[in-house]
Amino acid sequence: MQARRLAKRSSMGSRRLSAAAPQVDAVRPPKPESAWRPPRREGSAAALEEEDEDEDVVVEVEEEEEEEEGGLGSAPPALAGHGKGPLRGSLKAANIKREMTFHAFQQEDVKSDISRKLPDQQFLLFTTKEEDLKTAETKKLNRAHEYEKENTRSVCLLEQKRKVVSSNIDVPPARKSLEELDMDKVTAAMVLTSLSTSPLVRSPPVRPNESLNGSWKEGGFVPSSTSSSGYWSWNAPSDQSNPSTPSPPLSADSFKAFRTPSQPDDGIDEGETSNLLFDEPIPRKRKNSMKVMFKCLWKNCGKVLSTAAGIQKHIRTIHLGRVGESDYSDGEEDFYYTEIRLNTDSVADGLSSLSPVSPSLASPPSLPTQEAIRPETSCAKTETKVMTPLSRSAPTNLYLVHTDHAYQATPPVNIPGSAKFTPNGSSFSISWQSPPVTFTGIPVSPTHNRPAGSGEQKQSHTVLSSPPRVAFGLRKPRGEGKKCRKVYGMENRDMWCTACRWKKACQRWEQPFFASIWSWKILTASVHLESAHLNCSFHLGLQCFHIDPALSSTQMWDLRRPCVTAMQKDSGNREISLFQVAPARRKYRLLWCLLSFTARICSADYIE
DNA sequence: ACTGCCGGGTT
DNA sequence: AACCCGGCAGT
């Protein structure tokens, strides 16, 4: 058998190579492991520039962005040296953004998010576009009409999106321009006014696009026709909107958390970051009922604190062992905690579930997930349990997916068809978090997006109350999304994701990051690398991303552990702007992932 | 009939 | 663990 198989495969493989090539253009020849050495703070950062140039920019906005570059002014030390460096390129992600309902708006978010969180890190680079923004602003008026047009074209964009995608990493300008600040103020005012603040929602810098995009301003990011692009839409409605928030003014704390000491105040981050995450748009309905909590993601910890500072400290001192520097944060803590937003309504549940202990009990509605049932690593179990309960209240936690098999990692937001909660537990309906945000158009596994299917789900996923109790067997509902077999065909079996190759549930086409959209915070995502090599690919949502070894090798960030960052365009409609991976045992841990598309930073933690 | 993928076996 | 596949179940 084996022989047979091997033979078969080998032959296929060869075939495949040729076939596949096109798709993976982004990928570069595998690099020796050496590439993965632990990052050296300084030097390595060579540039990661992605040359996306070729890509046609779908969005006009981007044009501006690209120009800018100069603004990197205050890049993190690590980056600074590089000069334009690698990351500097503006994230072209913007292109995509348009496609997305979010539009420019999102981009900004992304940047901001990133910068915010990882100030030290390359993310700063992202922030960048500020300058662009400036320019944009000036042009804003002129462009306004253009944007509108674009919006109208949003639909077209969908198609286009495939064409373009590139992502460059921008070096974030450390500071905001005055203009931006003003804009931010304005925006912030708007947002604040409409929203109770949430960490997520910080004053968004006003971007040209944003200004144009009235939809979200209004009460929510309603998918305007433009949004049609539709992938995402905001349903303003619910209060649940995640972002809403937080009593605890996370703002300050939370922000800090993200910021690196190195760039403490630039307001940029804030401004930028503040952008909104998708959440921002949600304006109106924010209830004050939302509460933000911060949960430690450290294995077997699960501690939940009300402030980012608190959780950071907890992580620093307890898990990172930095007692002495308890006050100093380099941002690493960010990787180990996540923010959870609780709707007061559900707070009770959430809290109960939050407790590191016995969460499982808390979530009655949640169906028994396979995971729960399956024997898994203790960690996994723990996480699962904890998360499950949270799913309702704190989806973010769900992102942590631990599976026994990497290939089974569940996308953080895996919403199996009809809003069922999949066994993986991690799945939860998206609705929960971002009630306001509805992911409408994702081509991919539509099923995931539709929580609505179940009667329980309220209109438009808005609320994710509880997973449908459907008695779903252990068997995962059959995925409706694309599957590797269909996509690549039997002939290209090698191109299939490992899960498909092993006849397991396909993950490649899942949309793990959806969730990320709403939770701008670092999320633990299910994203994982398929192999231990840099030149491996990992799947985010629809796309299979290939890590470019070359870039990776040049981009090293000081995360205190080996990690690599790389910018990559995806070969398809989605783009991954930047991601970092750190080796975690044999696997690599995806620390952050930025999808221009989603404009969110995600972190994935792979647990063996 | 085809496809997805679970459950469990093999390497 | 990684890999594979029989066979069930959904389409």
Side-chain angles (χ1 to χ4, degrees), chain A residues 89-103:
Chain A
S90 54
L91 287 186
K92 291 189 167 186
N95 299 333
I96 295 168
K97 59 182 163 190
R98 293 219 170 196
E99 297 171 357
M100 302 310 289
T101 311
F102 299 89
H103 298 294

Side-chain angles (χ1 to χ4, degrees), chain A residues 541-553:
Chain A
L542 303 178
Q543 299 297 320
C544 171
F545 296 93
H546 302 278
I547 295 173
D548 179 332
L551 292 177
S552 302
S553 63

Side-chain angles (χ1 to χ4, degrees), chain A residues 65 68-69 71-74 90 108 111-112 115 124-137 170-181 184 205-208 263 266-273 275:
Chain A
E65 293 176 355
E68 106 313 4
E69 307 321 69
L72 306 179
S74 54
S90 54
E108 301 304 336
K111 293 176 184 176
S112 61
S115 61
L124 293 179
L125 297 177
F126 289 89
T127 16
T128 338
K129 296 192 157 189
E130 294 174 353
E131 289 188 358
D132 293 349
L133 293 176
K134 293 177 181 179
T135 304
E137 288 181 354
D170 291 357
V171 173
R175 348 183 139 77
K176 290 182 179 180
S177 63
L178 294 176
E179 292 177 357
E180 278 194 356
L181 292 176
D184 288 351
V206 173
R207 304 214 173 200
Q263 299 190 349
D266 295 357
I268 55 170
D269 289 327
E270 294 222 339
E272 306 243 328
T273 36
N275 299 322

